[in-house]
Amino acid sequence: MLDGGCSCGDVRYRLKSAPMFVHCCHCLDCQRQTGSAFVINALIESDRMDALSGDPMPVSMPTDSGRPHDVYRCPKCLTAVWSDYGRRGVLRFVRVGTLDDPTALKPDVHIFTRSKQPWVGLPADVPAFEIYYDMKTLWPKESLERRAAILG
Ligand SMILES: [Zn+2]
Ligand SMILES: [Zn+2]
């Protein structure tokens, strides 16, 4: 179980289990939206998260694909705590930097490394892809089953 929250403390959440997979995304959207070199997202079922306090509000972000991307932010301090890609509701991309212990999760994969900042070095033992990857070959079987259970 891992707890996290926003900067002002209004939003607090708990992950009730390990995530299915953890992305480190180096795409330009993530760089712009975070103002940083990449974002680290823990992919977890919404029903494996408890809202301990606060009520994060969705902010719709423009995307190249045209598919919806809502970033959920603390209504007071506007810290981004998770994303809902595709407005599916059942799956959240939790920003690992908002965990009380952000070292608790590390990336399982690096994606969109084509736009990676040139000074960022990647570990040799973690798969990295210029764009995206094939989930079926990279995700553990149990995580694929969890994903199928919510998305079919
Ligand atoms: Zn806040
Ligand atoms: Zn990205």
Side-chain angles (χ1 to χ4, degrees), residues 24-31 33 39 41 85 111-112:
C24 183
C25 185
H26 301 261
C27 85
L28 293 176
D29 280 344
C30 287
Q31 292 190 39
Q33 288 167 18
V39 73
N41 285 323
Y85 287 95
I111 56 175
F112 289 96

Side-chain angles (χ1 to χ4, degrees), residues 39-130:
V39 73
I40 313 171
N41 285 323
L43 281 64
I44 191 166
E45 302 93 324
S46 302
D47 64 7
R48 292 195 187 206
M49 277 183 82
D50 276 341
L52 304 179
S53 70
D55 189 16
M57 60 173 192
V59 177
S60 185
M61 304 301 293
T63 61
D64 288 341
S65 64
R67 296 181 64 222
H69 172 205
D70 293 333
V71 176
Y72 279 75
R73 295 180 177 274
C74 168
K76 291 185 178 159
C77 71
L78 302 181
T79 299
V81 282
W82 66 77
S83 284
D84 178 354
Y85 287 95
R87 210 166 279 155
R88 293 177 287 193
V90 292
L91 174 64
R92 289 179 184 163
F93 286 57
V94 178
R95 298 217 174 164
V96 170
T98 65
L99 292 174
D100 293 343
D101 176 10
T103 68
L105 299 174
K106 59 183 178 46
D108 294 309
V109 66
H110 291 267
I111 56 175
F112 289 96
T113 60
R114 67 179 179 185
S115 49
K116 175 178 83 59
Q117 294 272 349
W119 47 265
V120 171
L122 299 182
D125 60 344
V126 178
F129 297 88
E130 284 274 302

Side-chain angles (χ1 to χ4, degrees), residues 1-5 12-15 52 98-102:
M1 256 181 347
L2 296 168
D3 288 3
R12 297 287 302 161
Y13 66 80
R14 174 167 295 160
L15 308 186
L52 304 179
T98 65
L99 292 174
D100 293 343
D101 176 10

